[in-house]
Amino acid sequence: MKKRPRVALLVQSAMSYGRGILRGIGAYVREAGPWAVYHRAGGLADAISPQLKAWRPEGIIAQLESPRLIRQVRRMKLPVVDLFSLHKCAGIPRLLDDNEAAARMIADFFVDRGYENFAYCGPRGVFYCEQRRRAFVDYLAQSGRRVAVYETPPPEGISGVMNLESVGQLDLEGIGTWVASLPKPLALMTGSDIRGQQVLSACSEQGIAVPDEVAVAGVGNDEVLCNLCDPMLTSVELNMEKIGYEAAALLDRMMQGQDPPRDEILFHPAGLVARGSTDAMAIKDTDVTLALRFIREHYSEGISVQDVADRVALSRSTLQRRFAAVLHRTPRDEIVRVQIQRVKELLAKTDLPLMRIALMAGFTHLESMCKLFKAKTGQTPGQFRKNSRL
């Protein structure tokens, strides 16, 4: 009988991000295992417990935040995969989120909705939030747009990313005063969903209307936290399960003697999940705003540009001209963009047949959907579905 390798999973399970990683690891183990697994529920580990040392693991998947934990792990001389990516340690491969891609995704989302005023809010000292802030500011600067930034400084004696994120709850007055001082309508990115919830609470206390005055988007798509927000929080969904799966596969190869990769491995976000906190558009042309809303509400019915023009009581040529002036794209481009986004969501999250997906996205013919999808994404629907799964 094949011996089960002993693997320690030093991954927090207090938040949905860590639980997503654990689900991905579990998916790999079901395929290639079985493994004997050591895991303690809770937050980030800061040290190796005596129980784990006595258990004598053969490999470790960890979120290496604590320098003490890193020293202990290195002394064990085992194959290790790091999913925290704060520290560069020779011989320990790092798998991490593409935080720049997440920031660009939010920036493009806001720009597509006509916003001209942008802001970022996050905790200072949380490295992944700071990466997202830099990427958001730099990406928008490429098109001449400026971003107002507010970062809560860490209180004396407080350390650790989970603690630094939570103290923002004590800074609601400062956050709210800052948001109130900015020009409206405002598109605001937060460094995480935790900060997104704090910003929404601060806006509520200041009487700032969300999303009409301020649209808010976070990162992480913690569904429990996003759904607790009022209005519910729009957020970028990170690829936690994919990261967990690939981390387990990499550790398995390392335990069998393969050398670890030297370069860090980036994982693109799964997509942006729009909710009530961004259900508005900062477009001065009310007819274009009405047309956009009509497209988003009726794209699945196979609407045409003429249908949109009729809804807003404009000629087709006038609608085309005003769309181009505001959004720099045509009404047809917008219909296709919304349809393709829906196809992506259905491919990634369901096992529905392609014909059913085509009909749900407003395509009459499967062939036309596949042709447009390949033209817009560079992949066939089948390739996209495969690449979006574990």
Side-chain angles (χ1 to χ4, degrees), residues 43-352:
L44 290 165
D46 60 2
I48 298 254
S49 69
Q51 294 89 346
L52 176 54
K53 288 182 180 178
W55 191 65
R56 300 176 66 182
E58 298 164 58
I60 298 173
I61 299 174
Q63 292 173 305
L64 296 174
E65 178 187 31
S66 158
R68 178 188 178 193
L69 176 61
I70 293 171
R71 291 193 298 270
Q72 292 176 327
V73 163
R74 293 183 72 84
R75 283 199 294 267
M76 295 179 78
K77 299 185 183 303
L78 299 173
V80 180
V81 176
D82 176 29
L83 303 184
F84 202 63
S85 308
L86 175 58
H87 308 279
K88 292 183 178 180
C89 303
I92 299 180
R94 301 187 301 154
L95 279 66
L96 60 153
D97 300 298
D98 189 339
N99 287 315
E100 291 187 9
R104 292 194 300 268
M105 194 174 286
I106 292 176
D108 287 339
F109 178 81
F110 284 143
V111 169
D112 283 345
R113 280 153 181 75
Y115 284 92
E116 298 177 355
N117 305 308
F118 300 89
Y120 168 87
C121 186
R124 190 180 304 163
V126 177
F127 72 97
Y128 47 84
C129 290
E130 293 181 341
Q131 289 173 357
R132 294 163 188 167
R133 180 258 299 160
R134 287 193 295 270
F136 188 67
V137 171
D138 292 347
Y139 183 63
L140 286 168
Q142 293 173 15
S143 55
R145 297 176 171 95
R146 299 184 63 182
V147 179
V149 174
Y150 183 95
E151 292 180 303
T152 301
E156 186 176 351
I158 299 293
S159 62
V161 296
M162 297 183 76
N163 292 329
L164 290 172
E165 286 216 58
S166 66
V167 296
Q169 194 66 31
L170 305 178
D171 190 30
L172 296 188
E173 183 176 355
I175 294 170
T177 300
W178 169 72
V179 174
S181 72
L182 298 175
K184 311 295 189 301
L186 178 70
L188 192 155
M189 174 186 173
T190 64
S192 67
D193 290 340
I194 294 174
R195 178 48 61 105
Q197 187 273 330
Q198 293 163 357
V199 166
L200 292 176
S201 295
C203 288
S204 177
E205 291 188 1
Q206 288 280 341
I208 300 169
V210 177
D212 297 316
E213 292 183 88
V214 181
V216 182
V219 181
N221 196 38
D222 186 318
E223 292 194 1
V224 172
L225 186 57
C226 290
N227 291 335
L228 282 172
C229 293
D230 183 25
M232 291 190 291
L233 180 65
T234 289
S235 185
V236 172
E237 183 175 357
L238 301 174
N239 226 332
M240 301 91 71
E241 293 190 28
K242 180 72 170 175
I243 291 174
Y245 183 94
E246 295 298 338
L250 175 57
L251 181 69
D252 201 2
R253 295 193 297 271
M254 292 170 62
M255 290 191 297
Q256 296 176 45
Q258 181 174 310
D259 291 335
R262 294 183 179 181
D263 297 328
E264 62 188 20
I265 303 171
L266 284 174
F267 290 83
H268 196 274
L272 186 144
V273 180
R275 299 187 178 90
S277 68
T278 58
D279 189 19
M281 289 168 284
I283 297 173
K284 296 176 182 178
D285 189 322
T286 56
D287 288 327
V288 173
T289 299
L290 182 59
L292 286 169
R293 190 171 297 279
F294 179 76
I295 290 170
R296 289 187 171 87
E297 291 176 353
H298 298 277
Y299 71 91
S300 61
E301 300 168 17
I303 57 174
S304 67
V305 174
Q306 190 60 54
D307 293 326
V308 181
D310 291 343
R311 175 64 182 85
V312 296
L314 294 174
S315 70
R316 182 167 176 153
S317 60
T318 299
L319 178 66
Q320 301 264 27
R321 175 173 50 78
R322 288 166 65 172
F323 241 76
V326 174
L327 298 172
H328 309 292
R329 58 180 181 267
T330 68
R332 175 61 181 163
D333 290 337
E334 179 64 12
I335 293 171
V336 170
R337 190 186 71 81
V338 174
Q339 287 178 311
I340 294 299
Q341 183 58 41
R342 179 57 170 158
V343 172
K344 287 181 178 179
E345 293 171 0
L346 292 171
L347 288 171
K349 298 184 178 182
T350 76
D351 294 315
L352 291 170

